[in-house]
Amino acid sequence: MKRIFDGMTSFSTERPKTTIAIILVFFFSLAPNAMFINFDNSEDAFFPDNETVRLLNEVEDEYQASIDFIRFIDDIDSGDLYEESTWQQLAMLEAILLENQDLQEYQYPLFGIQPNSGMASAAIQWHNLQDPLTADSWISDLQLAIDAVASSDNDSLASNLANLTEAGNNLPSPELVSASDLRNWQPEDPNLWLERIDNGANLTSDLSVLSAALTNLIQGPNSSEIAMATGPISGKIGMLMGMQSIDYRSMMISNLPAEDSTNPWDSDGPVLTTFVVVTEPGEHGVEVIGDVQEKVSEWADELASQAKSETGDSEITVFSFSQLATGQNANLG
């Protein structure tokens, strides 16, 4: 190879005009093929090829909606998810997102019927709707009320049915987790309830027993009167039965790195807490997407400042695709 390059060097110095002519002929021969070279300078080409970007593109293609993910990124150490303080901070971050009026105005319900996804809200929903320990008190009260109606005579039936109705009112109802719920949540000892989640604990068997007991009440005397009290309760129990199939554990783990899915509670993060907003220019009263991205980037900066102030954790960052598009990603860490 050295002899070849030495020969080319000698040729170019001895015959410069011929060398220049050869170079020009070479470039002119390539020129006709330049039209077949495709340069992708679109906004989509700027983003990385990962699961979140593919989801964003899928939503845009399927629903013709432009959206952005505003995410708190909370770095943790392995073992932190066994600490109550970690869950309190995650709940606070999610509450900050839900309380923000700008985000609320342009929310996009990507996650079922809600625009937010976080470990704290998923844990609260599991506690409210599936945790046997949390449900123990209202299940016991309802069973006692059912037993009292079953053993009633004509004199005590009315009062026992009133007690049954009151006990039925204490059954939890499926509802969105609010910012207030998040801020008031007391996670207690995560070591205990994370173990119950891992074991697949839920209320299926208890609800089946209660449902059968309510059905038995309307098989005997005074069935019409009793059915008026048991009907609404049976409806609530049926709804709760359906909620037992929801995999809140997977919802929680989805906010952790995929590589930690086998041992999620030992994860060293980062933990994501997400809120989805619409970025369609028309929805924001502007003509170009760039104006919306500037606005979303400002929201992200404000959220980062608020989170650091409220939690005292200076390492919390905020990510949005708008920040990438506007080049304002200096605080992404």
Side-chain angles (χ1 to χ4, degrees):
M1 290 294 292
K2 184 176 183 300
R3 294 180 60 186
I4 295 175
F5 284 112
D6 288 343
M8 293 174 64
T9 302
S10 299
F11 182 84
S12 63
T13 54
E14 294 173 1
R15 299 183 178 181
K17 293 183 179 180
T18 303
T19 301
I20 293 174
I22 292 174
I23 293 173
L24 290 175
V25 170
F26 176 74
F27 279 117
F28 283 131
S29 66
L30 291 178
N33 295 311
M35 61 183 295
F36 300 108
I37 301 176
N38 293 320
F39 296 94
D40 188 356
N41 60 354
S42 66
E43 181 181 300
D44 290 341
F46 183 74
F47 296 134
D49 181 19
N50 58 35
E51 183 177 345
T52 300
V53 175
R54 287 192 291 272
L55 175 61
L56 185 150
N57 290 331
E58 181 180 334
V59 171
E60 289 185 354
D61 294 339
E62 185 73 18
Y63 301 102
Q64 299 299 306
S66 295
I67 61 174
D68 198 353
F69 297 82
I70 299 178
R71 282 176 162 165
F72 279 122
I73 302 175
D74 190 0
D75 288 314
I76 62 173
D77 295 324
S78 180
D80 281 356
L81 289 175
Y82 294 107
E83 301 293 332
E84 181 179 0
S85 59
T86 301
W87 291 92
Q88 288 176 326
Q89 177 159 305
L90 292 174
M92 184 182 298
L93 293 176
E94 198 165 354
I96 289 173
L97 292 174
L98 290 175
E99 290 167 345
N100 188 281
Q101 293 303 309
D102 292 322
L103 302 190
Q104 285 295 326
E105 183 176 356
Y106 298 104
Q107 63 176 285
Y108 186 88
L110 182 64
F111 306 104
I113 58 173
Q114 62 188 39
N116 57 297
S117 172
M119 294 190 75
S121 61
I124 290 174
Q125 288 177 318
W126 176 81
H127 275 291
N128 291 342
L129 301 174
Q130 293 185 0
D131 182 21
L133 191 61
T134 304
D136 183 65
S137 60
W138 67 258
I139 288 177
S140 298
D141 290 344
L142 184 58
Q143 186 63 64
L144 288 173
I146 292 173
D147 293 341
V149 172
S151 60
S152 295
D153 54 27
N154 290 334
D155 294 332
S156 61
L157 179 61
S159 62
N160 286 334
L161 285 176
N163 292 336
L164 177 62
T165 299
E166 183 177 352
N169 291 335
N170 293 328
L171 270 68
S173 299
E175 57 186 13
L176 296 179
V177 176
S178 67
S180 177
D181 294 330
L182 288 160
R183 288 195 179 274
N184 295 327
W185 183 41
Q186 299 297 323
E188 298 179 352
D189 186 356
N191 289 275
L192 301 178
W193 52 266
L194 286 176
E195 182 178 359
R196 297 201 296 276
I197 289 179
D198 286 339
N199 292 334
N202 61 42
L203 307 180
T204 299
S205 59
D206 293 314
L207 293 173
S208 296
V209 171
L210 291 172
S211 181
L214 288 169
T215 301
N216 290 335
L217 288 180
I218 58 175
Q219 302 302 315
N222 303 307
S223 59
S224 298
E225 184 179 358
I226 294 174
M228 293 179 64
T230 61
I233 300 174
S234 295
K236 287 184 177 181
I237 289 178
M239 184 165 49
L240 283 173
M241 284 284 285
M243 301 296 291
Q244 302 311 299
S245 62
I246 297 178
D247 190 351
Y248 288 111
R249 183 179 186 274
S250 293
M251 292 171 61
M252 295 163 65
I253 294 174
S254 68
N255 297 288
L256 296 171
E259 62 191 27
D260 295 336
S261 59
T262 54
N263 294 296
W265 317 130
D266 293 318
S267 173
D268 58 359
V271 182
L272 302 180
T273 304
T274 304
F275 196 101
V276 184
V277 294
V278 175
T279 55
E280 192 70 37
E283 295 288 334
H284 290 259
V286 297
E287 295 183 358
V288 295
I289 187 68
D291 292 338
V292 180
Q293 291 168 339
E294 290 284 352
K295 183 191 296 186
V296 174
S297 296
E298 291 176 3
W299 295 346
D301 291 339
E302 293 169 359
L303 288 166
S305 298
Q306 181 181 353
K308 291 174 182 178
S309 174
E310 289 197 29
T311 64
D313 186 347
S314 61
E315 295 183 356
I316 292 175
T317 56
V318 178
F319 168 86
S320 72
F321 288 103
S322 292
Q323 289 171 290
L324 289 178
T326 58
Q328 297 178 13
N329 59 348
N331 69 326
L332 296 184

